[in-house]
Each structure stands twice: as C-alpha cells, then as structure tokens.
Amino acid sequence: MIQLRTNNALETQAVAAALAESMRPRDLVLLVGEMGAGKTTFTQGFGHALGVTEHITSPTFVLMRSYDARLPLHHVDVYRLTQLQEVIDLGLVELLDEGGVALVEWGDVARPVLPRDFLEVRMAVDEIDDDVRNIVLEGSGSWTTRETSLAPLVEEWRYNSKTEGQQ
Ligand code: ADP
Ligand code: MG
C-alpha cells in the first residue's frame, strides 16, 4: 500500500501521469472514491501522459469512451450502472486483450466482473483541507509485486498518515 497526498488537481494529474509511464498493455486500474474525489481528474492526467490529445470527460452516460494513444485508453464510469451485466457487455476483457489499458471509475462496484489483476487507486477528499486528496495505491493479483515498483515514481507525493501525525 502506498499513501499519497496531493494539494490540487494538477498534482493529482501529475501523480496519474507518473503512474501512466509504468503501464503496460492489458493493465487495469480501478478508481475508487466518492463524487468529486478526483477520479476523472486523475484519468485526464493519465490519458495525457499516454498521449491522448482529446479532452477527457466523464463517460457517465455512455459508460465507456476509448481514446487512441501510445497505449489505447478505455475510460469506464460505472456510476449509473444498474446491472453488472452492462460491464460484461462492454467486453472490457476483450478490449484489454487487444493491448489497451483500462481505467474504471467506481471500480469497486464493478470488481466482481473484472479481472483479478488490477491496481486500485483510492481517493478521498481530506477532512481538513478540501483541496487536498488522500490517495492510496494498492495492487491485487500480479499488481501486488508491481506495486513496489511504483513507489519511486510517486515519491514526492508520499505521505505516511501514522508518522506525520506524530511529528
Ligand atoms: P470524480 O470523477 O471523482 O467525481 P472529478 O475529477 O470530476 O471527480 O472532480 C474533482 C474536482 O475536485 C475537480 O473540480 C478538481 O478540480 C477538484 N480538486 C481540487 N483539489 C483536487 C485534488 N487535489 N485532486 C483532484 N481534484 C481536485
Ligand atoms: Mg468522474
């Protein structure tokens, strides 16, 4: 588990961009957090780093948008999802098999029908400063070991909630 803290939207995009550099074909990232946590903001930074030139907006009503880039990016938002079958129907697994990368907003909701290897990015608005986001990175499956390699990429935003409080 890697804990980070960003002070504004640009920093969250910079974190996302740093992580995007380590992505490989077929990678899946689940974005978890309430409305306004910064999931779409994160995706914008991530997509930009992959070479997406279009402006990325929330695909809330269409469920998924795909962008051409160095690695094709599939941006999914399952907020309005009524049945998990809708996620299955997107054919995300097949799209990933074609060599793209997928980012899923509200990924925790769709987890039962998604592959077991993923990087989870949990984002929360700070209780004291509402421009601050507390972000936790946690890998599952093959990402458990890859998670370790992410730490140096996001070093400047690392934050340890346990030790910082004692200083
Ligand atoms: P979500 O997709 O999770 O609903 P958005 O990315 O659409 O969230 O919205 C996040 C909002 O919070 C944006 O208006 C963004 O500018 C603002 N914001 C303020 N501080 C931050 C931060 N540190 N990280 C990300 N977004 C931030
Ligand atoms: Mg969003």
Side-chain angles (χ1 to χ4, degrees):
M1 186 173 98
I2 300 172
Q3 292 183 63
L4 311 172
R5 207 172 150 85
T6 63
N7 292 302
N8 53 54
L10 280 178
E11 281 190 25
T12 295
Q13 290 180 334
V15 166
L19 296 175
E21 296 303 332
S22 70
M23 291 295 142
R24 305 176 190 156
R26 298 181 177 74
D27 277 345
L28 172 64
V29 179
L30 307 191
L31 300 175
V32 179
E34 294 304 313
M35 183 84 78
K39 302 180 294 298
T40 301
T41 301
F42 180 100
T43 307
Q44 289 165 344
F46 190 96
H48 189 251
L50 290 181
V52 175
T53 50
E54 292 157 78
H55 180 64
I56 297 175
T57 54
S58 228
T60 307
F61 292 98
V62 293
L63 221 56
M64 177 170 76
R65 256 194 218 105
S66 298
Y67 300 89
D68 241 341
R70 186 163 52 76
L71 287 173
L73 173 65
H74 306 292
H75 181 203
V76 183
D77 185 333
V78 300
Y79 181 62
R80 301 208 172 255
L81 191 77
T82 51
Q83 302 170 47
L84 285 176
Q85 184 62 39
E86 291 176 62
V87 179
I88 297 169
D89 292 344
L90 290 175
L92 201 57
V93 175
E94 291 76 10
L95 286 172
L96 285 173
D97 277 342
E98 288 169 19
V101 172
L103 253 67
V104 183
E105 294 195 34
W106 304 96
D108 47 337
V109 174
R111 201 181 285 138
V113 295
L114 293 176
R116 303 239 168 264
D117 291 342
F118 56 80
L119 174 68
E120 185 169 276
V121 179
R122 293 196 292 273
M123 317 179 72
V125 180
D126 187 70
E127 284 174 19
I128 295 164
D129 184 340
D130 62 14
D131 277 336
V132 168
R133 295 295 180 275
N134 297 300
I135 302 174
V136 175
L137 309 178
E138 190 161 19
S140 280
S142 64
W143 266 106
T144 318
T145 43
R146 278 180 72 192
E147 185 194 302
T148 322
S149 67
L150 300 178
L153 306 175
V154 291
E155 190 57 46
E156 63 180 290
W157 300 283
R158 281 187 87 172
Y159 177 82
N160 187 322
S161 54
K162 289 202 185 89
T163 54
E164 303 274 332
Q166 291 159 7
Q167 279 172 7

